[in-house]
Amino acid sequence: MGFREDIFASVAVIPEGKVSTYGQIAASAGHPGAARAVGNALHTNKSPETVPCHRVVHTDGRLSENYAFGGAKAQRERLVAEGVRFIGDRVDMNICHYED
């Protein structure tokens, strides 16, 4: 598999109601240190139904202003619909962080 496919496979296992971080996805896909490249790869996602890129957030729970499917507002709406909890404008990482 290539880098993109590795990333997509790691994102595909994040369960509904949970989030992972760019760095965590990079490491679990076998590419530690490539957090920024994870974000770039997720922008090429053509199957958000099977590769739930909205479940990937910054380490501190911030959402991506550059979320490929409508920005941070759309990302938040999708996460809230799945039951992800927020504290202000950040995901509550104590409750919603997925550790594979």
Side-chain angles (χ1 to χ4, degrees):
M1 274 202 292
F3 177 81
R4 222 172 122 251
E5 292 78 15
D6 294 342
I7 298 306
F8 287 2
S10 290
V11 171
V13 301
I14 305 168
E16 187 173 310
K18 297 290 184 179
V19 298
S20 188
T21 67
Y22 294 99
Q24 183 181 351
I25 292 299
S28 70
H31 304 282
R36 187 176 299 268
V38 168
N40 291 333
L42 293 179
H43 274 307
T44 68
N45 180 14
K46 295 190 186 334
S47 302
E49 309 79 36
T50 56
V51 181
C53 56
H54 65 283
R55 296 181 187 148
V56 182
V57 300
H58 294 279
T59 302
D60 62 2
R62 284 181 298 121
L63 303 181
S64 174
E65 290 299 321
N66 297 319
Y67 173 64
F69 301 99
K73 181 179 178 194
Q75 184 180 15
R76 182 182 178 122
E77 289 171 356
R78 291 184 81 160
L79 292 171
V80 167
E82 293 183 354
V84 172
R85 297 174 116 181
F86 282 78
I87 299 172
D89 62 348
R90 296 175 189 220
V91 170
D92 184 343
M93 297 300 279
N94 290 322
I95 294 173
C96 299
H97 187 210
Y98 172 66
E99 305 236 16
D100 58 347

